[in-house]
CSV table of all heavy atoms in Angstrom, one decimal:
chain,number,residue,atom,x,y,z
A,109,ARG,N,-0.8,-4.2,-5.2
A,109,ARG,CA,-1.5,-3.6,-4.1
A,109,ARG,C,-3.0,-3.9,-4.1
A,109,ARG,O,-3.6,-4.3,-3.2
A,109,ARG,CB,-1.4,-2.0,-4.1
A,109,ARG,CG,-0.1,-1.5,-3.5
A,109,ARG,CD,-0.3,-0.1,-3.1
A,109,ARG,NE,-0.8,0.8,-4.2
A,109,ARG,CZ,0.0,1.5,-5.0
A,109,ARG,NH1,1.3,1.3,-5.0
A,109,ARG,NH2,-0.5,2.2,-6.0
A,154,ASP,N,15.2,-28.8,16.5
A,154,ASP,CA,14.2,-28.8,17.5
A,154,ASP,C,13.1,-27.8,17.3
A,154,ASP,O,12.6,-27.2,18.2
A,154,ASP,CB,14.8,-28.6,18.9
A,154,ASP,CG,15.4,-27.2,19.0
A,154,ASP,OD1,15.8,-26.6,17.9
A,154,ASP,OD2,15.5,-26.6,20.1
A,155,PHE,N,12.7,-27.6,16.1
A,155,PHE,CA,11.6,-26.7,15.8
A,155,PHE,C,10.8,-27.3,14.6
A,155,PHE,O,11.3,-28.1,13.9
A,155,PHE,CB,12.0,-25.3,15.6
A,155,PHE,CG,12.7,-25.1,14.3
A,155,PHE,CD1,12.1,-25.0,13.1
A,155,PHE,CD2,14.1,-25.1,14.3
A,155,PHE,CE1,12.8,-24.8,11.9
A,155,PHE,CE2,14.8,-24.9,13.2
A,155,PHE,CZ,14.2,-24.8,12.0
A,166,ASN,N,5.7,-15.0,6.1
A,166,ASN,CA,5.0,-13.8,6.5
A,166,ASN,C,5.9,-12.6,6.5
A,166,ASN,O,5.5,-11.5,6.1
A,166,ASN,CB,4.4,-14.0,7.9
A,166,ASN,CG,3.2,-14.9,7.9
A,166,ASN,OD1,2.6,-15.1,6.8
A,166,ASN,ND2,2.8,-15.4,9.0
A,167,GLN,N,7.1,-12.8,6.9
A,167,GLN,CA,8.1,-11.7,6.8
A,167,GLN,C,8.3,-11.2,5.4
A,167,GLN,O,8.2,-10.0,5.1
A,167,GLN,CB,9.4,-12.1,7.4
A,167,GLN,CG,9.5,-12.3,8.9
A,167,GLN,CD,8.6,-11.5,9.7
A,167,GLN,OE1,7.7,-11.9,10.3
A,167,GLN,NE2,8.9,-10.2,9.7
A,196,GLN,N,19.3,-12.3,10.4
A,196,GLN,CA,18.9,-12.4,11.9
A,196,GLN,C,18.3,-13.8,12.2
A,196,GLN,O,18.6,-14.4,13.2
A,196,GLN,CB,17.9,-11.3,12.2
A,196,GLN,CG,17.5,-11.1,13.6
A,196,GLN,CD,18.6,-10.4,14.5
A,196,GLN,OE1,19.0,-11.0,15.5
A,196,GLN,NE2,19.1,-9.3,14.0
A,199,ARG,N,20.6,-16.7,12.1
A,199,ARG,CA,21.4,-16.8,13.3
A,199,ARG,C,20.6,-17.5,14.4
A,199,ARG,O,21.1,-18.4,15.1
A,199,ARG,CB,21.8,-15.4,13.8
A,199,ARG,CG,22.7,-15.4,14.9
A,199,ARG,CD,23.9,-14.4,14.6
A,199,ARG,NE,23.4,-13.1,14.3
A,199,ARG,CZ,23.2,-12.1,15.2
A,199,ARG,NH1,23.5,-12.4,16.5
A,199,ARG,NH2,22.7,-11.0,14.9
A,208,GLU,N,24.4,-15.7,24.6
A,208,GLU,CA,24.7,-14.5,25.4
A,208,GLU,C,26.1,-13.9,25.1
A,208,GLU,O,27.0,-14.0,25.9
A,208,GLU,CB,24.6,-14.8,26.8
A,208,GLU,CG,23.5,-14.1,27.5
A,208,GLU,CD,22.7,-14.9,28.4
A,208,GLU,OE1,22.3,-16.0,28.0
A,208,GLU,OE2,22.4,-14.4,29.5
B,109,ARG,N,-11.4,-6.0,8.0
B,109,ARG,CA,-11.0,-6.4,6.6
B,109,ARG,C,-10.9,-5.2,5.7
B,109,ARG,O,-9.9,-5.0,5.0
B,109,ARG,CB,-12.0,-7.4,6.0
B,109,ARG,CG,-11.8,-8.8,6.5
B,109,ARG,CD,-12.5,-9.7,5.5
B,109,ARG,NE,-13.9,-9.5,5.2
B,109,ARG,CZ,-14.9,-10.0,5.9
B,109,ARG,NH1,-14.6,-10.8,7.0
B,109,ARG,NH2,-16.1,-9.7,5.6
B,116,ILE,N,-3.7,-0.9,2.2
B,116,ILE,CA,-2.8,-1.4,1.2
B,116,ILE,C,-3.1,-0.9,-0.2
B,116,ILE,O,-2.2,-0.5,-0.9
B,116,ILE,CB,-2.9,-3.0,1.2
B,116,ILE,CG1,-2.4,-3.5,2.5
B,116,ILE,CG2,-2.1,-3.5,0.0
B,116,ILE,CD1,-2.6,-5.0,2.6
B,154,ASP,N,22.0,-11.4,21.9
B,154,ASP,CA,22.7,-11.2,20.6
B,154,ASP,C,21.8,-11.0,19.4
B,154,ASP,O,22.1,-11.5,18.3
B,154,ASP,CB,23.6,-12.4,20.4
B,154,ASP,CG,22.8,-13.6,20.1
B,154,ASP,OD1,21.7,-13.7,20.6
B,154,ASP,OD2,23.3,-14.5,19.4
B,155,PHE,N,20.7,-10.3,19.6
B,155,PHE,CA,19.9,-10.0,18.4
B,155,PHE,C,19.3,-8.6,18.6
B,155,PHE,O,19.3,-8.0,19.7
B,155,PHE,CB,18.8,-11.0,18.2
B,155,PHE,CG,17.7,-11.0,19.2
B,155,PHE,CD1,16.7,-10.1,19.2
B,155,PHE,CD2,17.8,-11.9,20.3
B,155,PHE,CE1,15.7,-10.1,20.2
B,155,PHE,CE2,16.8,-11.9,21.3
B,155,PHE,CZ,15.8,-11.0,21.2
B,166,ASN,N,4.6,-8.8,12.9
B,166,ASN,CA,4.1,-9.2,11.6
B,166,ASN,C,3.4,-10.5,11.7
B,166,ASN,O,2.4,-10.8,11.1
B,166,ASN,CB,5.3,-9.4,10.6
B,166,ASN,CG,5.7,-8.0,10.1
B,166,ASN,OD1,5.1,-7.0,10.2
B,166,ASN,ND2,6.9,-8.0,9.5
B,167,GLN,N,3.9,-11.4,12.6
B,167,GLN,CA,3.2,-12.7,12.8
B,167,GLN,C,1.8,-12.5,13.4
B,167,GLN,O,0.8,-13.0,12.9
B,167,GLN,CB,3.9,-13.6,13.8
B,167,GLN,CG,5.2,-14.1,13.3
B,167,GLN,CD,5.2,-14.5,11.8
B,167,GLN,OE1,5.9,-13.9,11.1
B,167,GLN,NE2,4.4,-15.4,11.4
B,196,GLN,N,7.0,-21.2,20.0
B,196,GLN,CA,8.1,-21.6,19.2
B,196,GLN,C,9.2,-20.5,19.2
B,196,GLN,O,10.4,-20.8,19.3
B,196,GLN,CB,7.6,-21.8,17.7
B,196,GLN,CG,8.5,-22.3,16.7
B,196,GLN,CD,8.8,-23.8,16.8
B,196,GLN,OE1,9.9,-24.2,16.9
B,196,GLN,NE2,7.7,-24.6,16.9
B,199,ARG,N,11.2,-20.1,22.3
B,199,ARG,CA,12.2,-21.2,22.4
B,199,ARG,C,13.5,-20.7,21.7
B,199,ARG,O,14.6,-20.8,22.2
B,199,ARG,CB,11.7,-22.5,21.8
B,199,ARG,CG,12.6,-23.6,22.1
B,199,ARG,CD,11.8,-24.8,22.7
B,199,ARG,NE,10.7,-25.2,21.8
B,199,ARG,CZ,10.8,-26.0,20.8
B,199,ARG,NH1,11.9,-26.7,20.5
B,199,ARG,NH2,9.7,-26.3,20.0
B,203,PRO,N,18.0,-18.0,26.1
B,203,PRO,CA,19.4,-17.9,26.1
B,203,PRO,C,20.1,-19.3,26.1
B,203,PRO,O,21.1,-19.5,25.4
B,203,PRO,CB,19.8,-17.1,27.3
B,203,PRO,CG,18.5,-17.2,28.2
B,203,PRO,CD,17.4,-17.4,27.2
Side-chain angles (χ1 to χ4, degrees):
Chain A
R109 280 203 303 272
D154 66 334
F155 67 83
N166 284 343
Q167 291 323 116
Q196 185 77 233
R199 190 129 55 91
E208 246 140 311
Chain B
R109 279 203 303 271
I116 295 174
D154 66 333
F155 66 84
N166 284 343
Q167 291 324 116
Q196 185 77 231
R199 191 131 53 90

